[in-house]
Amino acid sequence: METQTIIELSNVNFGFPDQRPILTEASLSIEKGAFYLLQGPSGVGKSTFLRLFNRLEEPRSGEIRFKGKLLSDYPPPRLRRSLLYIQQTPAVVDGSVEDNLLLPFSFKTNLHLKKPSRRKIEALLEQVHLHGVAMNDHARTLSVGQLQRLCLVRGLLLDPEVLLLDEPTSALDQESAMAVMALLAQLNRESHLTVLSVAHQIFRQGDVAYRHLQLKDGRIEGTP
Amino acid sequence: MTGAVIEIGPYQLILALLFILVAGGASLYHGLRLEKDLLIGTIRTFAQLFLLGYVLKFVFRLDSVWPVLAVFLFMIVFATRIIRSRIKEKQVAFFWPMLISMIISYALAAILITGVIIGAKPWWKPQYFIPLGGMLIGNSMNAVAISLDRLLGDLKERRREVEMMLCLGADYHEASKDIVKNAMHAGMIPAINSMMAVGVVFIPGMMTGQILAGADPLVAIRYQIVVMVMIVGATAMLSFLGVRIVCRLCFGTAQQLLLRPEKNMRK
């Protein structure tokens, strides 16, 4: 299959004041349909690195392109729906599970999108082992692990082109983590979803040809 | 006015200082260490009010629009500085946008009240415009400070929730809607509460002043009603404008939240 670059970083610099730079003249190509695992020492700025892709942070200098166009060429809400970032610590609004899952469909940018059917939602919930959770349960009564999966499902319902995940299985038990990884691998394999995930845990090899990225001392490098 | 005002002479003013002596005595007795603040506060009260008295007398005598507007502007600039100093969050620079929105809101409200409702001729007649404008600014200033403090505090505290919505395709306005609503609500509550309690729990200062000056209480209450609704209206308008403007300043060009945890603050 011919490879195609979906995101390209050129000479990107980023850092917070009075702290060590997170990126120094970093350049990188992310291929469409690939599954990247981002690794690096704790506190090196892996989460911040992901936030640069959907403009929650802006580089000091350098360029980031998505499908050949500069990120600034896209309206930010539209860009963020395509390059969907899911935070490590799950965040929900006050309301039911259903309110939270359908929340994105109330935003202006997403109004034209077809709301997912109940069957589709329930199938996804089941795939991440959330079958015990009812749609009318209050979201804030769920455990952190359940919320983490709920947030993943909510993001997937928007059908993003790139999924930016910040430790998606950090609060999960082994079994639930395997279910999440299996779903992500399936989406990557069957729907060619590009995934870039910060992961301390070793993802199961064999399902997907994971590519490894290492962030260290302001440099981002592909490792075999 | 139906009666003469009993003048307060210098000796009576000095006699009134007995209250400060009582407060100072209490501070000493309980070891509150407020004596110095009490002294400075008393000197400032005397100095500032005497100065105001002379300035107002001078402006009233000039009877020209420009000095009236200059006093009005001075009060607004000072109010904006007070609001800025009361807000703990310093990451967002909002002095100038806030000043402009305050000038617009207060000017509209004050002109409406003196020129249209009271019908003063000309609309800037200093005896009406300056005291009413001062009451308007003094009362709504607190409301705006409460609103903005709440807005900035909540945006920082609920940062994760705001960013979650941004990540799901919300624009900054959608992501902060709930927080903006709560901030405006917090600012409006004191003004509404004072409408509930007026005349029952307390007699407002303006009405007290008019009655002391010999006005018919039925005339005084009408002025007070106008002042109360003016304060509520201006508070609503200013909270709305101020909160919206400052909220926008909290988001960058990519509609990303600029308020960040202290460790990652930009200089």
Side-chain angles (χ1 to χ4, degrees):
Chain A
M1 200 177 81
E2 197 186 327
T3 58
Q4 201 182 338
T5 299
I6 191 161
I7 303 173
E8 192 166 18
L9 280 81
S10 315
N11 308 106
V12 172
N13 288 289
F14 184 80
F16 294 110
D18 301 327
Q19 289 181 33
R20 281 168 60 183
I22 290 170
L23 287 180
T24 311
E25 293 294 310
S27 296
L28 176 75
S29 291
I30 300 288
E31 280 175 23
K32 191 173 183 219
F35 198 129
Y36 293 87
L37 298 180
L38 175 63
Q39 286 156 336
S42 185
V44 76
K46 298 186 291 295
S47 305
T48 310
F49 176 69
L50 288 190
R51 290 161 62 89
L52 284 165
F53 290 94
N54 76 345
R55 299 188 75 194
L56 283 182
E57 305 290 350
E58 294 277 63
R60 278 197 200 143
S61 61
E63 284 183 351
I64 305 178
R65 290 176 180 271
F66 172 53
K67 295 203 286 192
K69 286 191 343 191
L70 288 172
L71 295 186
S72 54
D73 291 339
Y74 295 89
R78 167 78 186 76
L79 175 83
R80 291 186 180 125
R81 191 183 73 216
S82 299
L83 288 163
L84 204 129
Y85 169 67
I86 297 177
Q87 301 145 305
Q88 180 185 3
T89 311
V92 287
V93 291
D94 197 23
S96 67
V97 166
E98 185 172 21
D99 293 338
N100 273 280
L101 288 171
L102 297 180
L103 173 74
F105 297 89
S106 66
F107 301 142
K108 275 198 301 278
T109 310
N110 305 332
L111 281 180
H112 69 283
L113 298 178
K114 195 170 168 251
K115 277 190 189 172
S117 66
R118 206 171 171 105
R119 191 191 291 179
K120 183 179 175 183
I121 295 174
E122 281 170 355
L124 274 171
L125 290 176
E126 185 140 354
Q127 272 191 281
V128 293
H129 289 197
L130 279 180
H131 25 251
V133 172
M135 295 289 264
N136 56 1
D137 282 351
H138 199 282
R140 293 208 164 130
T141 62
L142 303 186
S143 70
V144 183
Q146 286 173 316
L147 286 175
Q148 205 170 28
R149 284 170 283 165
L150 181 78
C151 291
L152 175 68
V153 169
R154 181 174 58 191
L156 290 174
L157 290 173
L158 280 172
D159 213 6
E161 292 178 67
V162 179
L163 201 53
L164 305 162
L165 301 171
D166 195 354
E167 308 237 19
T169 57
S170 60
L172 304 186
D173 56 68
Q174 182 75 13
E175 199 186 331
S176 305
M178 297 290 264
V180 164
M181 290 188 286
L183 171 66
L184 293 173
Q186 183 195 336
L187 289 167
N188 172 253
R189 235 180 8 247
E190 294 171 8
S191 311
H192 306 293
L193 174 69
T194 309
V195 184
L196 182 49
S197 176
V198 173
H200 277 312
Q201 294 183 30
I202 307 295
F203 271 59
R204 198 162 45 146
Q205 295 292 336
D207 282 338
V208 166
Y210 296 113
R211 298 178 192 204
H212 295 264
L213 293 173
Q214 181 80 17
L215 182 64
K216 200 178 172 187
D217 301 327
R219 299 167 66 85
I220 180 88
E221 286 169 354
T223 54
Chain B
M1 305 284 159
T2 54
V5 187
I6 303 171
E7 276 207 31
I8 297 180
Y11 297 115
Q12 288 152 299
L13 270 182
I14 292 167
L15 202 60
L17 287 175
L18 276 175
F19 290 103
I20 298 296
L21 285 180
V22 171
S27 170
L28 276 173
Y29 183 77
H30 291 287
L32 303 178
R33 295 185 176 184
L34 289 172
E35 306 84 44
K36 196 179 156 197
D37 288 342
L38 269 171
L39 180 68
I40 295 170
T42 309
I43 293 169
R44 281 190 66 157
T45 302
F46 270 70
Q48 285 166 200
L49 288 180
F50 266 101
L51 182 67
L52 176 71
Y54 283 114
V55 169
L56 289 183
K57 207 165 174 175
F58 178 66
V59 172
F60 286 5
R61 203 181 311 144
L62 285 177
D63 207 24
S64 157
V65 66
W66 299 114
V68 173
L69 291 183
V71 170
F72 191 60
L73 190 65
F74 177 80
M75 289 193 287
I76 296 175
V77 171
F78 232 82
T80 315
R81 284 183 54 149
I82 291 172
I83 291 173
R84 187 73 198 95
S85 66
R86 277 195 201 164
I87 290 166
K88 292 178 255 23
E89 180 54 63
K90 303 291 179 198
Q91 289 185 59
V92 179
F94 61 79
F95 181 84
W96 288 104
M98 201 59 221
L99 178 66
I100 291 164
S101 62
M102 283 173 82
I103 291 172
I104 295 169
S105 310
Y106 288 145
L108 280 175
I111 292 169
L112 183 73
I113 217 91
T114 54
V116 180
I117 297 174
I118 294 176
K121 285 195 176 60
W123 58 267
W124 49 265
K125 201 169 175 53
Q127 286 85 338
Y128 291 91
F129 198 82
I130 293 177
L132 287 169
M135 290 188 72
L136 183 68
I137 296 166
N139 283 278
S140 57
M141 178 184 80
N142 291 329
V144 176
I146 292 171
S147 288
L148 294 185
D149 201 36
R150 179 71 179 266
L151 172 81
L152 296 166
D154 277 7
L155 275 175
K156 213 166 162 181
E157 200 171 301
R158 293 168 66 183
R159 177 186 168 90
R160 202 150 20 89
E161 191 182 322
V162 172
E163 289 196 332
M164 171 271 285
M165 287 194 250
L166 292 174
C167 290
L168 294 169
D171 58 27
Y172 86 92
H173 182 65
E174 289 167 319
S176 60
K177 200 163 93 182
D178 205 28
I179 291 172
V180 164
K181 200 171 78 183
N182 288 345
M184 287 173 60
H185 190 265
M188 289 295 296
I189 288 296
I192 293 171
N193 280 347
S194 62
M195 286 214 317
M196 303 289 184
V198 70
V200 183
V201 182
F202 70 99
I203 300 176
M206 183 195 188
M207 198 173 143
T208 310
Q210 280 187 305
I211 292 171
L212 284 177
D216 180 346
L218 289 177
V219 173
I221 56 153
R222 287 180 202 170
Y223 269 89
Q224 194 58 52
I225 291 168
V226 167
V227 166
M228 297 293 285
V229 295
M230 166 183 87
I231 289 168
V232 172
T235 302
M237 187 156 63
L238 198 59
S239 293
F240 180 80
L241 264 178
V243 167
R244 287 290 181 106
I245 291 170
V246 174
C247 184
R248 182 64 192 98
L249 294 172
C250 292
F251 291 85
T253 47
Q255 303 196 21
Q256 80 278 31
L257 188 55
L258 297 175
L259 289 177
R260 47 186 72 244
E262 308 300 331
K263 71 182 176 92
N264 292 341
M265 264 166 55
R266 282 180 197 283
K267 278 183 178 167

